[in-house]
């Protein structure tokens, strides 16, 4: 179950504007440092990073070769299988700004 579900129709400014992520964060009452965005596009990645949040990319067939790491993605994966919150919010991640997931 999700605490908040939002879509593009919920905001007046669309990605890459970070509005949707900032509003979702406000609704659940968390600081940006405690948020992680899962995205599949460069536009979504830009919105997440401009909101000051970690961003994990789960690429699609059409976005597989996009330069996600070069544009600030914390991790790039085919899917989230086996990923735990402890991996995402590990002390190493906080210190280095880099997320290492198997």
């Amino acid at each position: 179950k999700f605490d908040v579900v939002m879509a593009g129709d919920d905001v007046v400014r669309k990605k890459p504007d970070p509005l949707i992520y900032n509003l979702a964060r406000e609704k659940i009452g968390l600081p940006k440092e405690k948020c992680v965005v899962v995205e599949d596009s460069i536009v979504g990645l830009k919105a997440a990073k401009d909101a000051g949040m970690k961003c994990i990319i789960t690429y699609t067939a059409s976005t597989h070769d996009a330069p996600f790491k070069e544009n600030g993605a914390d991790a790039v994966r085919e899917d989230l299988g086996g990923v735990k919150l402890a991996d995402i919010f590990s002390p190493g991640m906080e210190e280095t700004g880099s997320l290492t997931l198997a």
Side-chain angles (χ1 to χ4, degrees):
K1 180 180 175 205
F2 293 101
D3 293 322
V4 175
V5 176
M6 296 185 71
D9 292 343
D10 296 321
V11 293
V12 295
R13 294 187 311 270
K14 310 300 183 207
K15 298 175 197 171
D17 190 284
L19 179 62
I20 194 164
Y21 294 126
N22 289 325
L23 286 176
R25 179 191 53 75
E26 289 172 11
K27 285 185 178 206
I28 58 175
L30 287 176
K32 62 187 176 187
E33 298 81 16
K34 296 292 182 185
C35 296
V36 62
V37 174
V38 178
E39 265 293 348
D40 66 353
S41 69
I42 293 288
V43 172
L45 170 61
K46 180 170 178 11
K49 297 315 281 184
D50 285 351
M53 299 175 185
K54 294 176 181 73
C55 186
I56 299 173
I57 295 293
T58 55
Y59 55 83
T60 66
S62 64
T63 63
H64 181 269
D65 294 325
F68 294 116
K69 289 299 273 185
E70 297 85 348
N71 282 278
D74 295 289
V76 179
R77 294 181 52 96
E78 184 174 2
D79 59 50
L80 293 178
V83 175
K84 296 178 178 73
L85 284 176
D87 297 329
I88 297 168
F89 293 103
S90 69
M93 171 68 178
E94 298 300 324
E95 294 167 11
T96 66
S98 178
L99 178 60
T100 302
L101 300 173

